[in-house]
Amino acid sequence: MNIFPFEIPCVILSGGKSSRMGEDKSLLPFLNNDSIIKYQYQRLKPYFKDIYISSKTNKFDFIDEKSLILDENKDIYSPILALNTIFKKLNNQKVFIITVDTPFVTTESIKKIIDESADVDICIAQTEKTHNLCGVFSSNINSTIKTMIETDIHKIFYLIKNNKHKIITFTNNNEFMNINNKNEYNDALVYISNIYNTYK
């Protein structure tokens, strides 16, 4: 399927605590890449005119500083704070957000989410569970984000339900697989190896 680069930018969230993994999961090896984040960045880059990584620190050796969005708050791990920093850099537009630990979401699914986001401020994916950080977010939600930070609310679904949103259902659970712990990491390595070997 031919896909021209998407007009909206993509931001990969890679500033989480990785507490369930016990180490920084974004830097774990993945397929033929040094790290999951490098794999995720390189596979998505051809499909977006602009792509960024959101993180608390510059821990990457494959991108330049202009492709990095560093969280202003280094102490609190919160996607709300990350979004706040992202929209200070990428204001007055929509952004496709995806986490480093969901490396199997296809460009076809991303296109569907982007296409469906035209009339809403937030459009996210859902399989058996809702994937709150896989979707399109508009800078129109800035006022809600600021209020949430002021009142110390950091739940992403609070942000979603308090803005005009849409949830798109997909049927392939594996496509939206999260890598949160060692078992899930090992499962993901097997899954990506099977995909790779199928197309060799």
Side-chain angles (χ1 to χ4, degrees):
M1 171 172 143
N2 292 322
I3 301 175
F4 294 105
F6 299 121
E7 292 292 333
I8 70 172
C10 172
V11 179
I12 305 169
L13 300 182
S14 186
K17 211 169 186 178
S18 297
S19 54
R20 282 178 281 177
M21 187 66 72
E23 60 184 300
D24 190 338
K25 61 186 171 184
S26 72
L27 301 180
L28 292 171
F30 201 69
L31 195 57
N32 297 323
N33 291 271
D34 298 336
S35 62
I36 298 176
I37 183 59
K38 187 174 182 180
Y39 172 84
Q40 183 78 308
Y41 180 86
Q42 290 187 338
R43 83 175 185 94
L44 293 175
K45 192 175 189 299
Y47 299 98
F48 289 89
K49 287 187 175 178
D50 297 294
I51 184 166
Y52 304 87
I53 295 176
S54 167
S55 180
K56 291 205 173 293
T57 59
N58 186 354
K59 53 191 176 182
F60 316 107
D61 60 4
F62 58 92
I63 59 170
D64 53 39
E65 287 192 6
K66 71 176 195 263
S67 300
L68 187 63
I69 302 175
L70 293 177
D71 286 356
E72 293 180 354
N73 189 308
K74 308 294 184 187
D75 302 317
I76 300 174
Y77 292 84
S78 161
I80 301 303
L81 294 173
L83 286 170
N84 184 54
T85 306
I86 288 165
F87 281 124
K88 284 183 179 179
K89 182 179 179 73
L90 307 174
N91 54 7
N92 299 318
Q93 61 184 302
K94 289 186 174 183
V95 177
F96 181 76
I97 298 289
I98 190 168
T99 54
V100 64
D101 60 4
T102 52
F104 304 122
V105 181
T106 66
T107 51
E108 289 86 357
S109 294
I110 292 171
K111 184 179 187 304
K112 182 174 182 180
I113 295 168
I114 291 173
D115 289 346
E116 292 282 347
S117 72
D119 58 345
V120 294
D121 291 321
I122 300 174
C123 185
I124 57 171
Q126 174 180 269
T127 51
E128 290 180 349
K129 66 176 184 176
T130 305
H131 304 281
N132 295 325
L133 291 169
C134 181
V136 174
F137 291 75
S138 167
S139 56
N140 291 340
I141 65 177
N142 266 334
S143 58
T144 309
I145 288 174
K146 289 174 183 174
T147 301
M148 290 175 68
I149 292 171
E150 288 168 1
T151 53
D152 201 28
I153 299 172
H154 295 277
K155 297 292 186 184
I156 190 69
F157 197 69
Y158 180 94
L159 176 68
I160 293 166
K161 72 179 182 181
N162 282 282
N163 285 278
K164 188 176 182 182
H165 69 276
K166 185 184 294 184
I167 299 175
I168 308 300
T169 301
F170 296 90
T171 57
N172 186 351
N173 285 306
N174 285 333
E175 181 185 350
F176 292 85
M177 184 190 307
N178 279 102
I179 304 172
N180 290 310
N181 55 48
K182 295 290 187 184
N183 288 336
E184 290 173 349
Y185 173 55
N186 290 329
D187 289 344
L189 290 178
V190 172
Y191 186 72
I192 190 64
S193 178
N194 289 337
I195 293 173
Y196 181 75
N197 289 330
T198 297
Y199 292 100
K200 279 180 69 173

